[in-house]
Amino acid sequence: MNIIPRPLKVEQRQGKLDLSAVSDIEIDADLDGCSALIDSVFTRGEGGASLRVVRDASCSDEGYRIEITPDGVKIFASTQRGAVWAVQTLRVAGMLDVEDAHHTVECGVIEDAPEYGWRGLLIDEARHFFGVQAIKRIIELMSLHKLNVLHWHLTDDSGWRIEIKKYPLLTEIGAKRSQSQINGWWGVDGDGIPHSGYYTQEQIREVVAFAAERGVSILPEIDMPAHFAAAFAAYPWLACRDIKRDVPWYFGGEVPIREGVKDWNRSACIGNPDTMRFICDVLDEISELFPFPYFHIGGDEVPTEEWKKCPKCKELMKREGLKDVDEMHAWFNNKVQEYLLGKGKRLIGWNEVLKGDNLDRSVIAQYWVPKLDRNVVKHIKLGGEVLMSKHQYFYFDHDYAVNPMRRTYEFEPYISGVKPKHRASILGIEGAVWTEWIPDMYKLEFMLFPRMAAQSEAGWSSGKRDWKEFLKRVKAFEPILDAFGVNYAEEEIYAGKPNLFRKLRIQRNFFYGDQNIELKYNAAIKQRKGKN
Ligand code: ACM
Ligand code: ZN
């Protein structure tokens, strides 16, 4: 059977079942959470075949068993999520989204369970805002790939994308910028088009409910104390120095230097009790919207120069006996962690949160930097947990020629200081799509598909990787992506021999020039093949 991600065990028997002949559906009350998905996937036929969803406590948390006979299908699971993944397996194996496909599956038994409990995907909507329909589409496709956490990067320097009722200027001012930088990190041009958008709390609730029906939890990220420029544009008093600035239209590089704004990525003034109050208020409102017992507070790339000079921050250091700015950052993380724990949530931060020795080790670190970070190793030794998002494997905003899909597929978690004996400390893996250079879904889908399949299998399937065999299944999956109208990368791009010249050209252009070389190349291949 052509299934992505590859199931743990498939035992084939004689015969086939036509899934479009399913007419008689019964779901155990405990697992009724999968009924919305079943309704959307199965069109009840006239064939008399049955579909049963049965609770079986012996199945693991996300695991399931499917028994297929010529008369019908039985799904066994202990949780809604396990049942949802079983439905997705049938959906993929029977190509149910593809109108003119066979819709049959071979009889037999499929037993399945994931290698990692956390299989996430970060979507950055601060740099570019996509909106409800787009994010639902991503969630639908994540669920099809058995990814279970949408890591929603909702705030950054370039935009604040979630309504906070107590601080309306966060979206009135912070969700809008005059234009967007183009031509790469060191490009100096803007596109001249104002960019804005945010989710109302009502929309957030709608998206959270939609995701829950598909087995996807949503992890909100409010990046702090740095990457906070959109919040400063709304409320300049949150920073150590009260400077009135617009939401930056540039993402970094040359422009701020030219404009004389060298310190555009600044940190909130954590020595100011009003700023700490603001942060708690924001956490209060957001925590209400997301039932997931985790909260991401970013914590990456934190500049500390202002803290060193700020009277309030200096006073905090003295009062708390903090020996340096790293300890000050850890103090902040501990405070926020304590507050979140009071709401039944654990704090997650990028690996930069690990610098101070006074850190509470119950925080979870997301390991993104490409190089070895000794603080991650130390964190694990002290009992801390990590999520793996190493840049060179999982940063999907980089072209295929730079971060090849094969590398993602063959991801080996025991790198950069993480060893096999640390297995229990690895919660799972996450892909990331940062959107500085991704203004629309057409490009986002190109960067993300079929890489999502590679990440899916890296996170779900245990055992040896077989790239050639995987490629056959990726190819067989294409009609499903076509049915969704996804603009995925062609084989020549995701599995082609790396061409050094093109790779260098793409790399150079990522910093200065045209970010869409590979995208355009893909479009030309599609056209040649007669795809639109
Ligand atoms: C990051 O890429 N700064 C987390
Ligand atoms: Zn300060």
Side-chain angles (χ1 to χ4, degrees):
M1 281 191 220
N2 279 314
I3 304 169
I4 290 175
R6 182 168 48 81
L8 203 54
K9 216 163 111 190
V10 179
E11 189 191 306
Q12 232 153 278
R13 301 210 179 120
Q14 281 289 315
K16 282 180 193 275
L17 172 70
D18 181 358
L19 291 175
S20 57
V22 165
S23 59
D24 164 25
I25 299 177
E26 248 180 66
I27 304 168
D28 273 8
D30 294 6
L31 299 175
D32 198 45
C34 72
S35 63
L37 181 67
I38 287 181
D39 286 343
S40 76
V41 168
F42 286 90
T43 47
R44 283 174 172 77
E46 304 277 314
S50 64
L51 170 63
R52 298 274 176 274
V53 181
V54 183
R55 196 180 125 77
D56 178 349
S58 73
C59 289
S60 63
D61 185 31
E62 292 188 274
Y64 64 86
R65 190 170 78 256
I66 303 175
E67 295 176 5
I68 306 164
T69 67
D71 302 326
V73 192
K74 272 191 191 158
I75 287 173
F76 299 90
S78 67
T79 63
Q80 179 215 333
R81 217 176 226 166
V84 162
W85 301 147
V87 173
Q88 298 293 29
T89 292
L90 290 168
R91 182 183 188 178
V92 170
M95 309 271 271
L96 297 183
D97 295 285
V98 185
E99 214 168 303
D100 53 3
H102 51 75
H103 299 162
T104 58
V105 286
E106 279 127 12
C107 291
V109 180
I110 302 172
E111 269 184 68
D112 207 0
E115 172 71 19
Y116 293 102
W118 189 299
R119 302 173 307 281
L121 178 71
L122 176 146
I123 299 290
D124 167 14
E125 287 212 68
R127 273 54 175 263
H128 281 99
F129 178 74
F130 298 97
V132 173
Q133 289 320 309
I135 203 71
K136 281 186 176 174
R137 177 176 167 83
I138 292 169
I139 290 165
E140 183 79 52
L141 290 159
M142 284 175 67
S143 176
L144 191 66
H145 289 79
K146 301 187 178 77
L147 299 188
N148 63 2
V149 180
L150 169 67
H151 175 166
W152 213 355
H153 189 77
L154 286 165
T155 67
D156 210 299
D157 299 307
S158 316
W160 186 283
R161 306 284 176 221
I162 178 168
E163 175 191 26
I164 303 296
K165 292 190 193 290
K166 194 159 184 183
Y167 300 100
L169 299 186
L170 283 172
T171 44
E172 272 172 40
I173 292 174
K176 299 171 185 160
R177 62 173 186 258
S178 59
Q179 58 172 346
S180 306
Q181 185 179 354
I182 51 171
N183 297 333
W185 289 104
W186 296 95
V188 293
D189 303 314
D191 63 0
I193 306 165
H195 187 80
S196 64
Y198 68 90
Y199 291 99
T200 63
Q201 296 195 353
E202 197 177 325
Q203 287 173 325
I204 296 273
R205 285 201 176 89
E206 177 189 332
V207 172
V208 167
F210 177 89
E213 284 178 349
R214 284 154 186 81
V216 178
S217 301
I218 304 190
L219 170 72
E221 180 184 349
I222 303 299
D223 207 344
M224 60 179 86
H227 287 289
F228 221 53
F232 295 149
Y235 300 102
W237 54 264
L238 291 166
C240 292
R241 290 172 301 147
D242 189 336
I243 308 169
K244 181 66 194 144
R245 279 184 193 154
D246 295 335
V247 176
W249 61 270
Y250 42 79
F251 304 121
E254 177 84 14
V255 186
I257 297 169
R258 283 193 180 194
E259 295 197 349
V261 191
K262 290 190 188 116
D263 61 347
W264 66 281
N265 177 21
R266 305 161 67 208
S267 295
C269 180
I270 64 175
N272 181 352
D274 293 339
T275 301
M276 294 304 287
R277 185 70 253 151
F278 167 93
I279 285 169
C280 291
D281 290 341
V282 166
L283 296 177
D284 284 347
E285 287 197 30
I286 296 181
S287 295
E288 282 290 307
L289 303 171
F290 296 93
F292 198 41
Y294 299 88
F295 201 111
H296 205 299
I297 64 152
D300 55 322
E301 300 170 322
V302 177
T304 52
E305 286 315 303
E306 278 185 294
W307 286 355
K308 289 178 193 161
K309 295 181 195 134
C310 166
K312 291 189 177 112
C313 287
K314 285 200 289 199
E315 161 60 25
L316 167 76
M317 281 181 88
K318 206 168 123 200
R319 192 179 69 235
E320 298 290 333
L322 306 167
K323 76 170 193 284
D324 56 21
V325 284
D326 289 341
E327 288 205 352
M328 203 172 139
H329 186 195
W331 171 88
F332 173 75
N333 295 329
N334 292 349
K335 277 279 165 208
V336 177
Q337 164 79 327
E338 191 185 326
Y339 197 70
L340 287 170
L341 286 174
K343 296 171 180 296
K345 292 179 192 288
R346 282 179 69 186
L347 182 153
I348 306 178
W350 299 104
N351 55 262
E352 289 99 318
V353 300
L354 301 176
K355 287 179 182 166
D357 283 343
N358 52 329
L359 184 75
D360 171 348
R361 295 292 160 180
S362 67
V363 312
I364 297 164
Q366 189 164 8
Y367 198 176
W368 74 274
V369 290
K371 291 192 180 141
L372 169 72
D373 179 355
R374 292 190 193 286
N375 292 323
V376 173
V377 184
K378 184 168 154 191
H379 183 61
I380 290 172
K381 285 189 177 148
L382 292 170
E385 290 175 312
V386 295
L387 284 168
M388 297 294 268
S389 290
K390 296 292 276 187
H391 189 287
Q392 60 273 46
Y393 298 83
F394 295 119
Y395 269 34
F396 300 152
D397 51 317
H398 288 256
D399 287 280
Y400 290 80
V402 176
N403 282 355
M405 184 164 109
R406 182 168 183 166
R407 196 189 286 155
T408 305
Y409 175 70
E410 293 177 343
F411 173 67
E412 144 70 68
Y414 307 117
I415 50 165
S416 305
V418 181
K419 302 205 164 76
K421 66 178 179 191
H422 299 145
R423 171 63 187 88
S425 310
I426 306 172
L427 296 181
I429 63 179
E430 267 198 16
V433 191
W434 301 98
T435 59
E436 288 93 342
W437 318 112
I438 303 180
D440 52 37
M441 284 296 276
Y442 178 75
K443 182 164 185 192
L444 192 145
E445 288 176 7
F446 166 70
M447 305 311 280
L448 191 49
F449 298 96
R451 272 168 164 159
M452 191 185 276
Q455 189 209 322
S456 157
E457 194 138 323
W460 181 281
S461 311
S462 49
K464 280 234 174 322
R465 303 277 174 254
D466 181 341
W467 173 243
K468 286 222 168 93
E469 184 274 334
F470 175 65
L471 286 182
K472 283 188 206 155
R473 282 182 290 122
V474 171
K475 203 76 199 149
F477 205 89
E478 278 186 4
I480 299 176
L481 294 180
D482 284 329
F484 279 93
V486 170
N487 178 39
Y488 54 84
E490 293 294 321
E491 207 175 352
E492 291 84 341
I493 302 283
Y494 66 74
K497 284 258 177 299
N499 172 325
L500 188 64
F501 176 73
R502 193 183 346 136
K503 182 174 163 178
L504 291 174
R505 192 167 152 244
I506 285 168
Q507 253 168 346
R508 202 173 68 87
N509 276 266
F510 194 70
F511 293 98
Y512 191 95
D514 180 1
Q515 280 67 49
N516 296 330
I517 293 173
E518 207 174 54
L519 176 70
K520 287 175 185 165
Y521 189 62
N522 194 64
I525 295 167
K526 272 193 185 328
Q527 198 167 32
R528 209 161 61 227
K529 290 180 177 171
K531 297 181 179 181
N532 51 28

